[in-house]
Amino acid sequence: MASDSQSTPPPSTGTLARGELTPEQRKRIQKRSENSANPSSAPPPLSQQKAKMTDTKGGFLAEEDDPFNKALHVKDGKDEKPANMTQKEWERQQLLKNLRRDRAGPFEPGISVLDEKSEQKVCRECGSLEIDWRWEEELRCRVCHACKDKFPEKYSLLTKTEAKEDYLLTDPELRDTELLPHIEKPNPHKSTWNNMMLYLRYQVEEYAFSDKKWGSPEALDAEFEKRENDKKRRREEKFKTKLDDLKKRTRVEAYRRNRKGAAGGNFGDEIGRGGRHVHQWGRSILDPETGIGTKKCVDCGMEVEELEF
């Protein structure tokens, strides 16, 4: 009986049995499991991919699309941490960058008491050797940090706007580094704006009160008062011109009304037509923010507000 029963033939080698996975399917499943176990190897989210894209006015392209295109690698004025650097290493690099810029810490020039007195760079107030090296290099002023805090009336910093408004200096004078040296700092209001130009107060005052500019503080005050009087006179002339124009238009209107007859016209009469003007109101338009309706005359354009109770 056993020999007579039919048996199911084995599957051929060229076909797969039902429920068996292909090699490609096994690879995809293995890759998904690896990504779930190691999130760092998974592709970044779409928001991060958009942040790396640049609008080249011809479509949005990523940096990887064209590594030799400089337009794709322009930063928005901000230093970004490289991908191959840890946060601690990045903070250390930024600290060294600031110290190098300010010439402080390990980048401060060496001080030697063995140098000749004439060659030593000392503070102009107290004679200390520990001066601010950045000010000495950029502002050509040898002063220590203690004296800067002790004499704020001399060593405070002025912005370009303050130097122009308070001392009546011009843009060419403020741009001349030989005449008025300055230091630049990032704009605190917005990083994408131009850097602030800061000037030393005593240097600005020395130039403004010298014979090259105004000559004395009294002459500066006189010039400031003169300019203020000129501004006031121009404002008054502008107001007077507008007032004369208004009077002229009022006289023309009165003349046109008087031509209607000896009795003249009354307020509200139509010009060129007989009788009084009657407003033709349009539909009321409700303002959703205030809840007040506004309607307008289709003839004269007058608008009135109405409030329904």
Side-chain angles (χ1 to χ4, degrees):
M1 295 295 294
S3 61
D4 297 337
S5 62
Q6 298 180 356
S7 59
T8 304
S12 61
T13 57
T15 59
L16 295 176
R18 172 178 264 176
E20 189 174 355
L21 301 176
T22 62
E24 290 78 7
Q25 291 176 340
R26 292 194 184 95
K27 289 181 180 179
R28 285 199 296 268
I29 294 174
Q30 184 179 2
K31 187 175 181 180
R32 290 173 186 171
S33 61
E34 290 177 356
N35 291 340
S36 60
N38 187 12
S40 60
S41 62
L46 184 60
S47 59
Q48 295 184 8
Q49 296 179 16
K50 288 183 177 179
K52 295 183 178 180
M53 293 184 180
T54 305
D55 185 7
T56 59
K57 309 304 180 184
F60 286 89
L61 300 176
E63 297 178 1
E64 293 80 4
D65 296 334
D66 191 356
F68 301 102
N69 191 345
K70 296 182 179 180
L72 297 179
H73 299 270
V74 175
K75 307 300 181 182
D76 298 333
K78 300 178 181 179
D79 293 335
E80 298 182 358
K81 183 178 75 65
N84 59 347
M85 185 179 294
T86 63
Q87 184 66 27
K88 188 174 182 180
E89 293 174 348
W90 171 246
E91 293 176 356
R92 175 180 173 81
Q93 182 181 1
Q94 292 300 306
L95 176 61
L96 293 176
K97 180 180 178 181
N98 295 334
L99 292 175
R100 187 182 294 107
R101 181 195 61 199
D102 297 335
R103 301 190 67 182
F107 304 99
E108 183 177 0
I111 301 175
S112 176
V113 295
L114 302 178
D115 295 339
E116 296 292 336
K117 289 291 184 180
S118 58
E119 298 179 0
Q120 291 180 352
K121 297 180 179 180
V122 297
C123 175
R124 63 196 306 266
E125 297 290 344
C126 63
S128 173
L129 295 174
E130 299 179 357
I131 63 175
D132 189 328
W133 295 101
R134 187 185 180 190
W135 278 31
E136 194 275 333
E137 180 180 359
E138 299 185 12
L139 296 177
R140 300 193 295 272
C141 175
R142 299 175 183 178
V143 63
C144 63
H145 296 279
C147 291
K148 286 196 299 185
D149 300 333
K150 187 177 180 180
F151 304 103
E153 68 279 359
K154 294 177 61 177
Y155 302 108
S156 58
L157 295 176
L158 300 175
T159 63
K160 183 178 180 180
T161 303
E162 291 174 341
K164 291 174 62 176
E165 294 180 354
D166 296 345
Y167 298 93
L168 306 181
L169 302 180
T170 60
D171 285 329
E173 293 171 340
L174 295 173
R175 285 196 297 264
D176 190 353
T177 56
E178 295 296 331
L179 184 64
L180 290 172
H182 64 271
I183 58 176
E184 293 187 2
K185 287 188 177 181
N187 198 305
H189 303 287
K190 200 170 183 180
S191 60
T192 55
W193 291 355
N194 293 333
N195 292 337
M196 289 195 311
M197 300 171 62
L198 302 177
Y199 301 85
L200 208 52
R201 181 181 293 274
Y202 90 90
Q203 293 179 348
V204 174
E205 291 182 350
E206 284 183 355
Y207 173 71
F209 299 156
S210 65
D211 296 335
K212 298 180 181 179
K213 191 60 178 176
W214 304 116
S216 64
E218 292 76 15
L220 175 61
D221 294 339
E223 179 66 21
F224 184 82
E225 185 176 357
K226 177 185 176 183
R227 296 191 182 188
E228 289 296 320
N229 292 335
D230 291 342
K231 291 181 183 178
K232 183 178 179 181
R233 178 179 53 80
R234 286 194 295 268
R235 286 196 299 265
E236 291 177 351
E237 289 178 355
K238 185 177 181 181
F239 174 76
K240 186 178 179 181
T241 302
K242 291 184 176 181
L243 183 61
D244 292 342
D245 183 63
L246 178 61
K247 289 180 179 179
K248 182 179 179 180
R249 287 189 281 109
T250 305
R251 287 196 297 268
V252 171
E253 186 73 17
Y255 174 74
R256 293 175 61 184
R257 290 182 181 277
N258 291 335
R259 289 188 61 186
K260 294 182 64 178
N266 297 321
F267 179 78
D269 291 347
E270 283 190 296
I271 299 176
R273 302 178 185 177
R276 295 179 59 84
H277 171 68
V278 179
H279 295 294
Q280 301 293 331
W281 301 111
R283 292 182 57 186
S284 178
I285 301 176
L286 182 65
D287 189 351
E289 296 182 357
T290 60
I292 300 177
T294 304
K295 58 184 181 180
K296 181 178 181 180
C297 176
V298 296
D299 293 333
C300 65
M302 179 178 178
E303 294 184 358
V304 294
E305 295 179 349
E306 60 178 4
L307 181 62
E308 295 182 2
F309 294 96

